[in-house]
Amino acid sequence: MTQKTELEILLAVVDHGSFSAAARVLGYTPSAVGKRVHQLEQRLRVPLLVRTTRRMTLTEAGQRYVEEARDLLARLTALEEDIADDAASLRGTIRLTSSAALGRLHVVPPVIEFMERHPVVEIDLLLTDKIVDLVGEGFDLAVRSGTLPDSSLVSRKLMSNRRVPCGAPAYLDQHGLPQQPEELTTHSCLHLGQEKRLLDWGFTRNQGGITRLGSGFSCNSLEALHAACCAGHGIAWLPEFLIAHDLHKGRLVPVLIDHADPNAGGGIFVLRPKATFLPRRVRALTDFLADHFTDIRTD
């Protein structure tokens, strides 16, 4: 058995709680698993596990060794996959996540095309508006929009995330076209989550103070706000990637453009955990997504 196998055995014991459970997963006998862990402890000259009749726990040295071993094993596996990829077509699984609206419109289409070009690559895509812990949940990539927070993740900007205050012609015909941001206090405003102030929509006031947006429909889904806006229920601040076609067809009309900060929406990024070795399939999909977003860039 190699040192890599020793690491895999030890991690299986820790993850599954016993020699017998690890043996079932790995296809070894419990005695073979116990022997390899014992040999590892002898080689390190320190106990890694404390065994009782009821449970098995890590020693302080074992805890440190397991934390480092996970990282080393992941890097070794990625290196082996990368070398194998260089000699063959792209293969393997990529776990990817994106917000729902952005993903449906601009991540799913290039992912499908990427799989058609690389038929032995499997994509596991999660569309959710929740922020996913990429490292903790084992994801390779995330496509996210907004202002990028300080993070240990590696980021690559795909395009700006320009957001546009807009309303349906029927709503604006009935309630009037606002000429100043302060006039939004008298309009039905469609809020994403906690958006309540002009500042939340990228408007600033020269005279100080914070003016609240008018009350209206509030939802945590951009697609739901988009539908309500198109149906004439009020004014919303929506990303251009979602409404570009509606603006072009006249189903939505931009308002207060001269007063809106074009940078308030942040950007659209592809993010990944830091890794010493990045599988070629992950690099290839990242580049493919970047090319797609370049094609739809409107700024």
Side-chain angles (χ1 to χ4, degrees):
M1 292 186 183
T2 65
Q3 286 190 2
K4 179 183 177 183
T5 307
E6 284 185 343
L7 297 181
E8 291 172 330
I9 289 175
L10 177 62
L11 294 179
V13 171
V14 172
D15 291 341
H16 297 283
S18 68
F19 289 158
S20 58
R24 286 195 296 272
V25 172
L26 296 172
Y28 300 141
T29 64
S31 60
V33 170
K35 180 180 178 181
R36 295 306 299 180
V37 172
H38 180 65
Q39 289 176 344
L40 178 60
E41 290 176 320
Q42 285 187 318
R43 181 162 59 81
L44 296 174
R45 292 179 294 181
V46 62
L48 301 174
L49 296 168
V50 177
R51 308 162 182 82
T52 67
T53 55
R54 293 189 175 181
R55 63 176 183 166
M56 184 176 297
T57 58
L58 288 166
T59 64
E60 183 177 347
Q63 182 69 39
R64 178 185 172 193
Y65 189 82
V66 164
E67 289 176 358
E68 295 291 339
R70 287 191 192 280
D71 181 60
L72 288 171
L73 188 59
R75 290 164 57 189
L76 180 58
T77 300
L79 175 59
E80 291 177 350
E81 290 178 348
D82 197 52
I83 291 174
D85 282 346
D86 286 340
S89 59
L90 297 182
R91 64 180 63 250
T93 300
I94 304 173
R95 299 199 70 205
L96 170 68
T97 181
S98 175
S99 57
L102 178 61
R104 181 179 62 81
L105 289 173
H106 297 299
V107 176
V108 170
V111 161
I112 291 174
E113 184 178 348
F114 185 84
M115 289 190 297
E116 290 173 348
R117 296 189 183 192
H118 307 286
V120 292
V121 173
E122 296 181 6
I123 305 289
D124 179 2
L125 174 62
L126 172 66
L127 296 182
T128 176
D129 289 328
K130 294 181 179 179
I131 299 298
V132 176
D133 178 359
L134 300 190
V135 176
E137 299 188 38
F139 280 85
D140 299 295
L141 296 172
V143 180
R144 293 177 182 164
S145 62
T147 302
L148 189 64
D150 292 336
S151 172
S152 61
L153 301 174
V154 177
S155 66
R156 178 174 177 178
K157 187 173 181 179
L158 301 175
M159 61 181 288
S160 67
N161 184 41
R162 181 171 177 258
R163 293 180 70 171
V164 180
C166 58
Y171 174 86
L172 297 174
D173 288 344
Q174 181 178 355
H175 299 279
L177 187 70
Q179 301 299 315
Q180 297 294 328
E182 290 81 358
E183 295 178 35
L184 290 175
T185 59
T186 63
H187 280 268
S188 174
C189 293
L190 312 177
H191 308 126
L192 178 67
Q194 299 301 311
E195 294 172 351
K196 299 294 182 183
R197 309 167 301 167
L198 290 178
L199 187 60
D200 295 330
W201 280 16
F203 295 116
T204 57
R205 304 181 70 237
N206 295 328
Q207 315 232 337
I210 296 173
T211 300
R212 293 179 66 84
L213 295 163
S215 60
F217 178 54
S218 179
C219 185
N220 68 337
S221 166
L222 280 173
E223 291 184 293
L225 294 180
H226 176 218
C229 190
C230 289
H233 290 287
I235 295 173
W237 190 52
L238 296 171
E240 196 169 32
F241 74 77
L242 183 62
I243 63 170
H245 195 60
D246 298 301
L247 295 175
H248 180 69
K249 293 294 185 181
R251 287 191 290 265
L252 291 176
V253 177
V255 301
L256 299 169
I257 292 299
D258 291 340
H259 299 275
D261 181 357
N263 299 314
I268 298 175
F269 303 88
V270 59
L271 308 173
R272 64 171 176 83
K274 289 183 179 178
T276 304
F277 300 103
L278 190 65
R280 191 162 62 98
R281 62 181 180 276
V282 177
R283 294 200 306 268
L285 179 58
T286 301
D287 291 340
F288 198 80
L289 289 170
D291 289 342
H292 170 78
F293 277 89
T294 298
D295 289 341
I296 67 168
R297 189 169 292 163
T298 57
D299 55 286

